[in-house]
Amino acid sequence: MMKYHALTREAKLSESEFTVKRGRDVDYLMELKPENLLFSHYAEAGLNGLLNYTVTAHGGWDSPTSQIRGTFAGHWLSAAARACQETGNMQLKAKADFLVSEIGRCQERNGNGWAFPIPEKYLYSLRDGKGFWASQYVCHKNMMGLLDMYLYAGNGEALEIVKKCADWFDRFSREIPRETMDDMMDLQETGGIMELWADLYAVTGDPKHLELMRRYERPRLTEPVLRGEDILTNRHANTTIPEIHGCARAYEVTGEERYRRIVEQYWDLAVTQRGTFATGGQTCGEVWTPPQVQSTRLGNSNQEHCVVYNMIRLADYLFRWTGDAGYADYIEQNLHNGLLAQAFWQSGTRDTFCEPLEPETGIVSYYLPLAPGSQKKWGSKTGDFWCCHCTAVQANANYREFIYYGGEDSLTVAQYIPSDLETVLGGQPVALRQRAADVSGPFLKFGEEKLPLAQRPNFWSFRFEVRARGQEFTLRLRAPWWLKGAPVCLVNGQKQEAAVENGWLCLRRRWQEDTVELLLPKGLSCFPLADRPDTAAFLDGPVVLAGLTDRQRILTGDPGRPETMLRLQDEREWENWQDVYCTVNQEESIKFLPLKQIGKERYTVYFPIRGEKG
């Protein structure tokens, strides 16, 4: 069924831009107060008491007057569970365990299995065609967080709470006709509740949970998708992706090929036929754009963060089933130009004479605008709590999930993210240490054996240290789509002639105490709009560059040779190489930065390109 399995719990991030974002995420999780996170749970169970007078409640979508209040608590638990398991942060675990116990207390007070921050009547009204906003979505997110607390943090009480919630949903949905269930799903989104029931069934093996999974499929979506009909164009994207996650997980827990075909057909409709922006993302105004039509959809509401996160998760499902490097490429592009670009921004603080002493911060940019002269709009810590705010705390606790995968006799490195892995392969322990190679050269020291590079290198370089007990297996290293030449690989200092096959450089040997050095040549490339090939974005490897200009500018040059339009600028700061560019041979100079480094600056991603005059 699955060619590869994610080695999530066995991996830990090492210092990089990814740990910076995860660290800010964990700090934020710790900063929020339990009484605020659980305000609506307490209110629904009648346990608020004097909290009404002593708590400053969250605002925005988590405010006491919001119909989806309390949703964020589930995302908080999901992120905290993963962060605790990876980092061993016991303070965070104690806080998360306390939240679980308090939700359990609310469930006991409610008396019938209900453990949610909204009234039960919201669901009964939905059944009767008078839906409140996304009530089943709220329930899903809370159960998701609780189940993750069991799966990642070992909290047994959390599992018992979810099972009682499942009993409530079984009683609620058992007598609802199929047509009414379909109407309910059309009226208000369900989130990933089908996936939740599949996850729960994988834990319990209870047929009741399997039946809930089947009951919560959305046939008005899945049947046309299965037939290959494009029902996505101009439809809300993020309501459907979690439902397809449900089909993906259903395939894994049942083995039924129909579910897999639904997922594969959805990907074909959403990505393969539709195309993506240079960022790897999609959507404008939260809807799928028409296939291969992008130029008329560049605006202020491109690339909803939730869509980026959920499509990465969908690509992960498909990668595990197939091992296709294209899915790992997709994940990489969306990691760098989506997740890193849209969450936990912080202004620079290098020195008080250069930057403010207190840095500006932003939790999430709900959208990633792609119109000329765009600006990211950052959400606050406690005033917004949009859906993208919720997925941001999850996403920045999940980076390690997409790095390593185990096969029957193989170990796959799908993402180049500094990290450590300790796993078992063929019944024997295997450890792998991945680090970005030091290409900066000495900053203060003299007398080094190797002379430092005089200019910024045009490659990514990584070093892998493998420790094993002499077992034979294949180490698979991804050869990304953006390579500007053949990768260079050395094992224990000896150059290898391993060929790239289907996007992978495969090294098979008996591993003991070995070192692998990998060099990936990169450079500038142009990524045109599907329907306007004369308008393109610039990428440095997989990283989208944004020009710091507040309006559309026309560039002159050859899209096949982007170096005719951009060159490096300010490439070195202290001991670090920088990814800063500027235009060349243009009427006016424009500075370019990686889109993921943009904070509040005005920027433009796509530029009309005119051929050079003869």
Side-chain angles (χ1 to χ4, degrees):
M1 183 184 298
M2 285 190 288
K3 293 184 68 173
Y4 304 97
H5 57 278
L7 300 174
T8 300
R9 291 171 179 78
E10 299 96 324
K12 297 180 185 295
L13 297 183
S14 182
E15 185 176 355
S16 71
E17 61 187 328
F18 293 92
T19 52
V20 169
K21 293 294 182 95
R22 186 198 64 193
R24 292 173 186 168
D25 189 10
V26 170
D27 289 345
Y28 176 64
L29 297 176
M30 287 297 299
E31 185 177 337
L32 297 174
K33 297 178 180 179
E35 57 267 32
N36 289 338
L37 290 165
L38 296 176
F39 186 91
S40 296
H41 292 78
Y42 289 144
E44 183 58 27
L47 293 173
N48 265 30
L50 293 177
L51 286 181
N52 285 307
Y53 304 98
T54 61
V55 172
T56 303
H58 290 164
W61 293 10
D62 203 39
S63 74
T65 58
S66 168
Q67 291 181 5
I68 59 169
R69 56 190 177 271
T71 300
F72 180 75
H75 291 270
W76 189 99
L77 285 170
S78 181
R82 286 169 163 81
C84 291
Q85 196 275 330
E86 180 183 0
T87 67
N89 186 324
M90 298 309 294
Q91 285 183 305
L92 182 59
K93 186 175 188 309
K95 186 173 181 178
D97 286 340
F98 174 74
L99 260 67
V100 170
S101 66
E102 289 296 278
I103 292 174
R105 189 161 71 96
C106 291
Q107 185 179 56
E108 183 178 359
R109 178 65 176 265
N110 290 326
N112 61 350
W114 187 260
F116 304 111
I118 56 176
E120 294 174 69
K121 69 178 181 181
Y122 280 16
L123 270 79
Y124 291 115
S125 293
L126 176 64
R127 180 198 61 190
D128 297 337
K130 306 169 186 176
F132 290 84
W133 183 19
S135 51
Q136 294 189 109
Y137 167 97
V138 177
C139 297
H140 161 247
K141 302 310 178 187
N142 276 261
M143 290 188 289
M144 170 197 69
L146 289 162
L147 189 58
D148 281 348
M149 279 297 296
Y150 169 74
L151 294 172
Y152 288 90
N155 187 307
E157 182 181 6
L159 177 61
E160 295 307 311
I161 295 171
V162 175
K163 288 196 289 187
K164 292 174 184 176
C165 291
D167 291 341
W168 188 97
F169 268 92
D170 179 57
R171 294 191 302 271
F172 167 70
S173 62
R174 187 183 304 155
E175 303 303 325
I176 298 178
R178 180 70 254 176
E179 186 175 356
T180 302
M181 286 291 292
D182 294 345
D183 291 342
M184 290 164 59
M185 293 178 187
D186 282 348
L187 186 60
Q188 292 291 339
E189 63 185 293
T190 63
I193 200 167
M194 180 185 177
E195 183 185 34
L196 181 280
W197 301 135
D199 284 336
L200 184 60
Y201 173 67
V203 171
T204 66
D206 189 333
K208 177 170 53 183
H209 301 150
L210 179 63
E211 175 57 29
L212 277 169
M213 181 200 80
R214 297 193 191 281
R215 208 174 287 165
Y216 271 87
E217 182 185 335
R218 188 182 182 187
R220 290 178 185 171
L221 167 69
T222 57
E223 289 303 316
V225 165
L226 194 57
R227 295 192 296 267
E229 298 175 13
D230 177 19
I231 61 166
L232 301 186
T233 296
N234 291 330
R235 300 291 181 89
H236 194 272
N238 196 54
T239 56
T240 62
I241 305 165
E243 291 170 324
I244 302 301
H245 290 165
C247 294
R249 192 68 178 118
Y251 167 65
E252 293 185 348
V253 300
T254 68
E256 296 177 22
E257 288 293 326
R258 173 182 170 275
Y259 288 123
R260 175 168 175 163
R261 291 198 304 274
I262 291 169
V263 178
E264 291 172 337
Q265 283 284 74
Y266 185 91
W267 184 271
D268 185 59
L269 291 167
V271 180
T272 307
Q273 295 185 32
R274 200 162 303 274
T276 71
F277 297 118
T279 56
Q282 247 283 6
T283 70
C284 179
E286 303 193 17
V287 303
W288 292 113
T289 68
Q292 305 302 319
V293 176
Q294 299 168 345
S295 63
T296 57
R297 299 295 176 105
L298 300 179
N300 294 318
S301 57
N302 292 117
Q303 193 165 305
E304 182 188 0
H305 180 278
C306 287
V307 172
V308 175
Y309 172 64
N310 283 322
M311 287 301 289
I312 286 175
R313 291 196 59 234
L314 190 59
D316 176 64
Y317 272 115
L318 288 158
F319 178 78
R320 287 190 277 112
W321 301 346
T322 66
D324 187 332
Y327 296 119
D329 285 336
Y330 179 93
I331 290 172
E332 177 184 60
Q333 206 164 349
N334 280 275
L335 286 175
H336 285 280
N337 307 304
L339 299 190
L340 288 178
Q342 290 182 253
F344 291 100
W345 166 73
Q346 182 173 299
S347 65
T349 56
R350 70 173 68 126
D351 267 315
T352 55
F353 64 85
C354 293
E355 303 283 357
L357 182 61
E358 291 294 330
E360 292 184 274
T361 61
I363 297 299
V364 70
S365 178
Y366 191 124
Y367 302 115
L368 188 67
L370 295 176
S374 290
Q375 186 178 37
K376 299 176 186 178
K377 305 297 184 183
W378 296 100
S380 65
K381 287 185 176 181
T382 59
D384 301 300
F385 291 101
W386 308 311
C387 56
C388 294
H389 188 129
C390 297
T391 52
V393 300
Q394 276 189 278
N396 284 272
N398 291 13
Y399 288 126
R400 61 179 175 149
E401 297 195 9
F402 314 111
I403 305 175
Y404 301 110
Y405 298 81
E408 185 175 346
D409 66 342
S410 66
L411 179 58
T412 296
V413 179
Q415 301 300 328
Y416 296 110
I417 298 176
S419 50
D420 295 288
L421 176 73
E422 293 186 2
T423 188
V424 174
L425 197 60
Q428 295 293 323
V430 174
L432 186 147
R433 185 175 189 264
Q434 177 184 177
R435 296 291 185 273
D438 182 7
V439 293
S440 296
F443 178 48
L444 294 174
K445 296 180 181 179
F446 291 95
E448 299 283 341
E449 293 182 8
K450 293 170 61 178
L451 291 175
L453 294 170
Q455 294 181 295
R456 197 205 72 162
N458 59 348
F459 56 81
W460 278 2
S461 184
F462 293 87
R463 178 184 175 90
F464 304 90
E465 296 175 5
V466 183
R467 298 196 312 275
R469 295 182 178 178
Q471 59 263 51
E472 183 178 352
F473 62 88
T474 300
L475 180 64
R476 303 169 73 242
L477 305 171
R478 182 170 56 90
W481 67 271
W482 45 261
L483 283 175
K484 292 293 184 180
V488 177
C489 183
L490 291 83
V491 177
N492 300 327
Q494 300 298 311
K495 187 174 181 180
Q496 304 296 299
E497 299 300 330
V500 174
E501 299 179 4
N502 298 319
W504 299 98
L505 192 151
C506 298
L507 303 173
R508 188 166 187 87
R509 61 185 284 122
R510 291 193 178 277
W511 299 90
Q512 292 182 320
E513 300 281 337
D514 300 293
T515 299
V516 177
E517 296 169 90
L518 180 65
L519 187 148
L520 301 170
K522 71 178 181 70
L524 292 174
S525 62
C526 283
F527 198 109
L529 292 169
D531 58 331
R532 286 292 303 272
D534 62 343
T535 301
F538 294 90
L539 287 86
D540 182 7
V543 177
V544 170
L545 301 172
L548 300 185
T549 175
D550 62 359
R551 59 189 182 278
Q552 187 175 78
R553 302 297 185 99
I554 298 175
L555 301 182
T556 300
D558 180 0
R561 295 188 302 127
E563 63 274 10
T564 62
M565 293 172 279
L566 296 189
R567 66 171 175 81
L568 283 166
Q569 180 190 51
D570 192 20
E571 67 177 9
R572 181 84 176 198
E573 182 182 65
W574 302 316
E575 70 272 31
N576 301 315
W577 296 113
Q578 299 198 107
D579 300 321
V580 182
Y581 287 82
C582 69
T583 52
V584 62
N585 301 323
Q586 308 300 318
E587 291 185 2
E588 188 174 345
S589 179
I590 301 172
K591 183 178 180 179
F592 280 73
L593 294 175
L595 183 56
K596 62 185 175 181
Q597 293 179 13
I598 298 289
K600 291 190 172 181
E601 304 95 325
R602 292 279 180 180
Y603 65 88
T604 298
V605 170
Y606 282 100
F607 291 82
I609 299 175
R610 303 292 180 257
E612 297 176 282
K613 296 180 180 179

